[in-house]
Amino acid sequence: MTEKKNTKDFKRVWITLLLWLCGMLLLHIVCRALHVRINANDMLISNLITIIIALAINWLYTKEKIYFEWYGFKRIGWLLVFALIFVIAINAMFKTIPSATSLEISLSPFFWLFFILASATIPVIMFYAILMPAMIHNWQTSSNVILKSLILSSALFSIFEVFILNNMYGGVLSTIYQLVAEFTFGLMCGLFYLRSVNIIVSIFFGFIETFCAVILTHIAPLFGNGIINIIFFLLFIYLVLKITLRPQNIKQIEKDFKLN
């Protein structure tokens, strides 16, 4: 009986994601119908509308509380170390050559800072402020619910970033690398939210990573080191999960997100 109830409740997660994707598709169709010219200003407005759609779906249907608590840096100490390693590693795996975007940013830095912030906020709000807690609460009778929800939300995030946003480039190995890198990035966002219980912390990490990606690099991966890059991130994921999701930390997360 409980298993059937969990299966039924878990449909909320998929329906929430489907509604959001439909909202994005509708926004795209409207823009095409109105012949909206795609430029930086339009993309910024589109990002803000996408965030509003996610929040509206959560308010009307999913009804997950978005947390803005703060319990100090002690909870996220290890995550800050891992975040620094991640940002350095992800940028070191790309050729650091000037891009047209970098030149545009130097001309209008305040606009681009706001644009990057909006871009970083979209996945954090949808996948980690709404979907991940929904998975946790609808899966709460299952074992390892925190780990399962974190991994599934990060997997959906990586698929969304690479395939739906059409960020693919290169061959099969490069695509696998992108999926693993995006999964790792999403995992870090989710862990920051789970440990800090403050969505602003996750958004800030997403902003820093996106800011560095836009400012410091151009999308031109070092294809020769693809396998090494993938192995590095897999080991990085294992180490992050091993240290940050210790039993006492999981109990604290369950308490913070009201699973007890």
Side-chain angles (χ1 to χ4, degrees):
M1 184 70 178
T2 304
E3 185 177 347
K4 288 183 178 179
K5 183 180 184 298
N6 288 339
T7 303
K8 183 178 180 180
D9 289 343
F10 200 72
K11 290 180 181 178
R12 281 201 315 139
V13 174
W14 303 115
I15 293 174
T16 298
L17 182 60
L18 180 61
L19 288 173
W20 184 60
L21 293 175
C22 288
M24 291 181 63
L25 177 62
L26 181 61
L27 177 62
H28 178 73
I29 292 173
V30 170
C31 290
R32 292 291 297 270
L34 297 178
H35 303 288
V36 175
R37 183 182 177 183
I38 302 300
N39 54 41
N41 290 308
D42 294 330
M43 289 175 66
L44 174 59
I45 294 172
S46 176
N47 285 345
L48 293 175
I49 293 175
T50 304
I51 294 170
I52 292 171
I53 291 173
L55 292 174
I57 293 171
N58 185 55
W59 180 52
L60 295 171
Y61 177 70
T62 317
K63 301 185 185 301
E64 284 295 333
K65 180 181 178 180
I66 299 178
Y67 291 91
F68 296 91
E69 308 294 335
W70 178 245
Y71 298 101
F73 287 100
K74 185 177 180 180
R75 286 193 180 189
I76 59 172
W78 274 109
L79 281 174
L80 292 174
V81 175
F82 286 127
L84 179 62
I85 294 172
F86 176 82
V87 171
I88 293 174
I90 195 72
N91 285 286
M93 291 176 184
F94 288 82
K95 296 176 183 177
T96 53
I97 58 177
S99 63
T101 306
S102 300
L103 298 177
E104 291 176 14
I105 290 171
S106 65
L107 297 176
S108 52
F110 290 107
F111 169 83
W112 280 102
L113 282 173
F114 192 60
F115 175 80
I116 292 169
L117 179 61
S119 300
T121 301
I122 292 173
V124 174
I125 290 291
M126 189 64 224
F127 290 94
Y128 299 104
I130 300 174
L131 285 181
M132 185 175 66
M135 293 175 189
I136 290 173
H137 293 134
N138 294 321
W139 234 347
Q140 58 182 303
T141 57
S142 174
S143 59
N144 300 318
V145 59
I146 302 297
L147 181 61
K148 287 179 180 178
S149 301
L150 177 63
I151 289 176
L152 180 55
S153 56
S154 298
L156 291 173
F157 165 76
S158 64
I159 292 170
F160 171 79
E161 287 287 320
V162 175
F163 292 106
I164 297 182
L165 289 188
N166 201 24
N167 286 337
M168 288 188 298
Y169 52 86
V172 174
L173 183 61
S174 181
T175 300
I176 294 173
Y177 164 71
Q178 292 172 73
L179 285 168
V180 173
E182 293 290 357
F183 177 86
T184 308
F185 171 60
L187 197 79
M188 292 294 293
C189 289
L191 284 169
F192 267 114
Y193 186 44
L194 291 173
R195 294 297 290 134
S196 68
V197 203
N198 190 321
I199 197 61
I200 300 298
V201 176
S202 291
I203 291 173
F204 183 73
F205 167 71
F207 168 78
I208 293 297
E209 195 281 332
T210 307
F211 177 83
C212 291
V214 172
I215 296 292
L216 299 178
T217 65
H218 181 62
I219 303 302
L222 302 177
F223 291 103
N225 294 329
I227 295 178
I228 296 176
N229 294 350
I230 293 170
I231 293 173
F232 168 81
F233 278 118
L234 291 176
L235 292 174
F236 180 84
I237 290 169
Y238 173 78
L239 187 61
V240 170
L241 292 175
K242 192 73 174 177
I243 292 178
T244 58
L245 288 185
R246 294 170 179 171
Q248 63 268 30
N249 293 344
I250 291 177
K251 288 181 180 179
Q252 184 62 59
I253 292 170
E254 291 174 348
K255 182 179 179 182
D256 291 334
F257 285 84
K258 297 178 174 55
L259 264 68
N260 297 330

